[in-house]
């Protein structure tokens, strides 16, 4: 089964072709491309939705053609199109979804609407080992989301914990901005932190000692604002800047790692997945690696390139939806907001 995946929910245009085995649900990516719009948005200091939509529109059709060519395939061989239908920027989503629906109609191919966060959550399944056994807990950490999700089956998710305010990615990005670092801030903070002393500045780890699996990053964010203001020499003193970055990265990853373990213990689940852009963070991966071993939990990590936004995870998610024999809805539209817990009921019908 060949699945074309399309992702345009934010500032990355991505296309991939996944070949799924009908037999065991495993498969391989035949070709994939990602074009980041970061260079376009950087001068505005953030993603401009209208600019993002136009950039997707310019690049997507040519990208599909080149991915098809690279996979040496053609529309007649594609069995399904999986496209991100939400959540995300409405205009950006509309580009991918309109393209997918039109291509589906012309070529008589079913179109599977994919939830972007479900795509992230299932991304470890792209590895040779396939999906972890259900149930598993996923730490879902992207630019806009920080949550602990219990997955009981494809499409069947419940929230075990979530942030009460900012997302972890947002905390990285906002802290980076205070230090004059470009977007996305997570990789920038991580790059500086490599040379820093994480113990020089002790930042708060909100809610860490409480017996709950929710997160709060606003107190940490405020502490970073004060720290940067109280140490204005960071602009000239490189070591000071490295130490501040190390303090920030260590605080955020401590919180994420420990809460993930707490969630597994609370739910009595022994498989843990981390997914979303922040899951690319090496310190978080290493910290979790150590902690899971102490608690007899198995940690499943997506490849780094499948942590941040990509179309391979969307194609894979579509293949799993098809494999789970979820009815393919035909009359749907994209949604800027779409709770992960509402997947069982599918996308609401578009009024005729
Ligand atoms: O999942 P993603 O690519 O896009 C969304 O769907 O939001 O996540 C983007 C977030 C940004 O906040 C970015 O700073 C963060 O992921 N990020 C990282 C790293 N790579 C990306 N945070 C920490 N360390 C990284 N290596
Ligand atoms: Zn994402």
């Amino acid at each position: 089964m060949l699945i074309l995946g399309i992702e345009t929910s934010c500032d990355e245009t991505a296309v991939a072709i996944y070949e799924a085995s009908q037999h065991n649900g495993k498969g391989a990516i035949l070709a994939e491309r990602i074009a980041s719009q970061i260079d376009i948005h950087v001068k505005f200091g953030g993603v401009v939705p209208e600019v993002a939509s136009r950039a997707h529109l310019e690049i997507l059709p040519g990208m599909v053609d080149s991915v098809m060519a690279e996979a040496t395939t053609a529309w007649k061989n594609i069995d399904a199109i999986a496209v991100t239908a939400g959540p995300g920027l409405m205009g950006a989503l509309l580009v991918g979804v309109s393209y997918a629906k039109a291509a589906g109609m012309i070529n008589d191919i079913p179109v599977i609407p994919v939830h972007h966060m479900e795509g992230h959550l299932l991304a470890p399944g792209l590895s040779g080992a396939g999906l972890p056994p259900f149930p598993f807990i996923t730490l879902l950490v992207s630019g806009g989301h920080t949550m602990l999700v219990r997955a009981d089956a494809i499409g069947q998710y419940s929230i075990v914990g979530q942030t009460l305010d900012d997302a972890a990615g947002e905390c990285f990005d906002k802290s980076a901005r205070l230090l004059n670092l470009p977007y996305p801030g997570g990789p920038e903070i991580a790059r500086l932190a490599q040379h820093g002393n994480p113990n020089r500045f002790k930042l708060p780890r909100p809610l860490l000692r409480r017996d709950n699996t929710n997160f709060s990053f606003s107190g940490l964010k405020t502490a970073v604002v004060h720290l940067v203001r109280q140490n204005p020499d960071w602009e000239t003193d490189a070591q000071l800047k490295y130490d501040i970055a190390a303090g920030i990265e260590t605080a955020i990853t401590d919180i994420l790692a420990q809460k993930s373990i707490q969630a597994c213990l609370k739910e009595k689940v022994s498989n843990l997945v981390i997914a979303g852009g922040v899951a690319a963070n090496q310190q978080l991966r290493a910290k979790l690696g150590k902690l899971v071993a102490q608690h007899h939990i198995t940690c499943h990590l997506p490849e780094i390139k499948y942590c941040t936004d990509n179309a391979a995870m969307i194609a894979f998610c579509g293949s799993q939806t098809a494999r789970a024999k979820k009815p393919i809805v035909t009359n749907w539209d994209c949604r800027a907001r779409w709770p992960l817990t509402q997947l069982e009921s599918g996308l609401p019908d578009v009024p005729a």
Side-chain angles (χ1 to χ4, degrees):
M1 185 180 191
L2 275 195
I3 301 196
L4 173 73
I6 297 176
E7 158 64 40
T8 65
S9 67
C10 188
D11 60 346
E12 255 108 22
T13 317
V15 175
I17 296 180
Y18 180 75
E19 183 167 34
S21 141
Q22 296 285 47
H23 172 57
N24 58 8
K26 292 185 185 170
I29 291 294
L30 302 188
E32 61 181 316
R33 291 221 174 160
I34 300 181
S36 167
Q37 301 175 2
I38 285 175
D39 293 348
I40 305 175
H41 298 288
V42 80
K43 56 178 173 288
F44 302 108
V47 178
V48 183
E50 182 57 24
V51 174
S53 317
R54 284 171 193 273
H56 287 309
L57 198 55
E58 274 170 30
I59 207 167
L60 181 63
M63 190 182 272
V64 172
D65 292 346
S66 54
V67 169
M68 289 270 208
E70 202 179 317
T72 55
T73 195
W75 284 111
K76 66 176 179 353
N77 303 320
I78 301 290
D79 297 292
I81 303 171
V83 61
T84 303
L89 302 171
M90 189 49 113
L93 289 166
L94 265 171
V95 175
V97 167
S98 308
Y99 180 91
K101 283 184 174 179
M105 204 179 285
I106 294 166
N107 299 291
D108 199 19
I109 302 170
V111 181
I112 306 171
V114 171
H115 190 290
H116 180 81
M117 301 313 290
E118 186 181 26
H120 276 302
L121 193 148
L122 299 181
L126 281 162
S127 77
L131 275 178
F134 290 107
F136 57 83
I137 296 289
T138 303
L139 170 70
L140 211 45
V141 268
S142 67
H145 293 80
T146 296
M147 48 173 78
L148 284 156
V149 178
R150 182 188 165 109
D152 283 292
I154 297 293
Q156 212 177 305
Y157 309 112
S158 49
I159 312 273
V160 176
Q162 58 190 322
T163 182
L164 305 175
D165 37 59
D166 288 354
E170 223 174 327
C171 193
F172 268 119
D173 295 336
K174 287 179 178 168
S175 302
R177 210 175 308 151
L178 289 171
L179 293 171
N180 266 350
L181 299 168
Y183 177 88
E188 294 291 326
I189 296 275
R191 187 174 56 79
L192 298 191
Q194 280 177 348
H195 314 287
N197 171 5
N199 301 317
R200 177 163 170 196
F201 301 110
K202 184 83 180 154
L203 288 159
R205 281 123 169 94
L207 301 186
L208 197 57
R209 292 191 194 288
R210 302 241 187 107
D211 182 27
N212 82 33
T213 36
N214 286 327
F215 304 85
S216 168
F217 288 102
S218 66
L220 173 57
K221 190 181 67 185
T222 310
V224 175
V225 172
H226 290 308
L227 181 64
V228 172
R229 278 201 198 130
Q230 283 158 8
N231 293 278
D233 291 347
W234 63 264
E235 291 196 62
T236 48
D237 179 346
Q239 192 58 49
L240 179 57
K241 195 171 177 181
Y242 298 153
D243 293 345
I244 294 175
I248 296 167
E249 184 184 43
T250 302
I252 298 175
T253 55
D254 270 358
I255 297 166
L256 296 176
Q258 294 199 30
K259 292 274 175 188
S260 303
I261 302 294
Q262 272 177 32
C264 288
L265 299 178
K266 186 176 164 192
E267 293 290 314
K268 300 188 174 51
V269 167
S270 59
N271 285 288
L272 173 68
V273 163
I274 61 169
V278 180
N281 185 277
Q282 294 290 2
Q283 190 180 101
L284 174 63
R285 294 166 86 97
K287 238 173 229 178
L288 269 172
K290 279 194 192 143
L291 278 177
V292 292
Q294 289 166 17
H295 291 91
H296 308 290
I297 294 167
T298 309
C299 192
H300 306 262
L301 304 170
E303 272 182 64
I304 301 278
K305 67 173 176 175
Y306 296 140
C307 288
T308 45
D309 288 351
N310 65 88
M313 69 182 192
I314 302 302
F316 178 72
C317 186
S319 81
Q320 294 300 310
T321 307
R323 198 174 131 76
K325 304 223 173 354
K326 297 250 166 218
I328 296 178
V329 282
T330 50
N331 195 15
W332 53 272
D333 219 336
C334 43
R335 289 176 72 176
R337 286 174 182 272
W338 185 11
L340 188 58
T341 47
Q342 282 178 14
L343 292 192
E344 278 171 283
S345 50
L347 278 166
D349 277 1
V350 182

